[in-house]
Amino acid sequence: MNSKTLVSDLRTQRVLPIFRQNSAEVKQILNQLRPLNIRVIELTTSIPTWQDLVEDLSNDYIVGVGTIKSESQIQQAKEAGAQFLVSFGFFDALIEEVDIPVIPGAMTANELLTIQRAGVRCAKIYPASVLGKKYISDLKVLMPEMELMVTGGIPSSKDEIDSWIASGAFCVGVGSSVTSLLQAASRRH
């Protein structure tokens, strides 16, 4: 997988479910989300035995590992079979990673510029709910070539997702509101 393919898949999916639950809960939620045809997911390093879960789900999903904070976590994620990496911030080893796509985090225009100057064209804006949709549209004016995924306190209703995408985000990451996606899945039955 390369960055362009990942961005394309996430743009089509519109939502990136971010899981912090234990393995059994993640599998249960994913099973309930099947009607939504979710292909790309993020598992965070806060999940106990996240490496095993990455290996277990990699045959059925495009699995990314999030909340990456160190070089050792980058290596562990790659060894487990992660297909992309996500962080709420950025550091040299992350933005210099060339084996798999990365989505480093940024909050300010300066951080986003640093990420862009390192050759990375996709970033996670966190916490987006605090910064607001106007902030995202303003960033896109400055750096229209950057692909921005928004996360952090964003409700997972269709209207909310639509409005963030209209502001310039290519995808909305939902963590604590991931269970709200179940309501949408149940309406598709």
Side-chain angles (χ1 to χ4, degrees):
M1 163 154 299
N2 61 42
S3 291
K4 286 184 181 183
T5 302
L6 176 62
V7 168
S8 176
D9 287 349
L10 286 172
R11 186 182 309 283
T12 300
Q13 189 169 289
R14 299 172 39 97
V15 173
L16 175 63
I18 302 168
F19 293 99
R20 294 182 186 87
Q21 300 85 347
N22 67 47
S23 296
E25 290 173 311
V26 170
K27 289 176 182 179
Q28 179 183 19
I29 293 168
L30 283 171
N31 189 46
Q32 293 171 313
L33 290 177
R34 284 198 191 279
L36 297 180
N37 296 316
I38 299 292
R39 294 185 54 238
V40 185
I41 62 171
E42 177 184 329
L43 305 174
T44 65
T45 58
S46 60
I47 298 172
T49 67
W50 60 267
Q51 299 94 329
D52 295 336
L53 190 56
V54 171
E55 288 179 25
D56 192 30
L57 295 175
S58 288
N59 289 331
D60 297 319
Y61 299 94
I62 298 168
V63 180
V65 175
T67 319
I68 295 287
K69 298 179 277 193
S70 68
E71 290 181 51
S72 66
Q73 287 178 333
I74 291 172
Q75 192 58 40
Q76 291 170 1
K78 288 166 47 175
E79 289 171 0
Q83 292 156 297
F84 64 98
L85 305 172
V86 183
S87 185
F88 54 87
F90 67 94
F91 53 96
D92 289 345
L94 182 69
I95 60 176
E96 294 169 359
E97 176 58 45
V98 294
D99 293 337
I100 60 176
V102 298
I103 305 175
M107 185 174 174
T108 68
N110 188 52
E111 291 170 340
L112 199 56
L113 181 60
T114 301
I115 290 167
Q116 180 190 46
R117 290 181 63 146
V120 178
R121 296 288 180 256
C122 180
K124 168 181 171 170
I125 304 299
Y126 176 84
S129 63
V130 172
L131 300 167
K133 296 168 192 145
K134 173 89 170 85
Y135 184 75
I136 301 306
S137 61
D138 289 348
L139 286 175
K140 288 297 284 184
V141 168
L142 296 173
M143 292 177 249
E145 66 283 353
M146 287 296 290
E147 298 288 356
L148 305 178
M149 177 175 73
V150 294
T151 69
I154 299 174
S156 59
S157 71
K158 182 185 181 317
D159 289 343
E160 196 67 27
I161 291 165
D162 288 347
S163 66
W164 281 98
I165 289 177
S167 76
F170 78 94
C171 178
V172 177
V174 292
S176 56
S177 66
V178 74
T179 52
S180 299
L181 292 173
L182 296 176
Q183 294 172 348
S186 68
R187 287 193 294 271
R188 292 211 176 170
H189 273 354

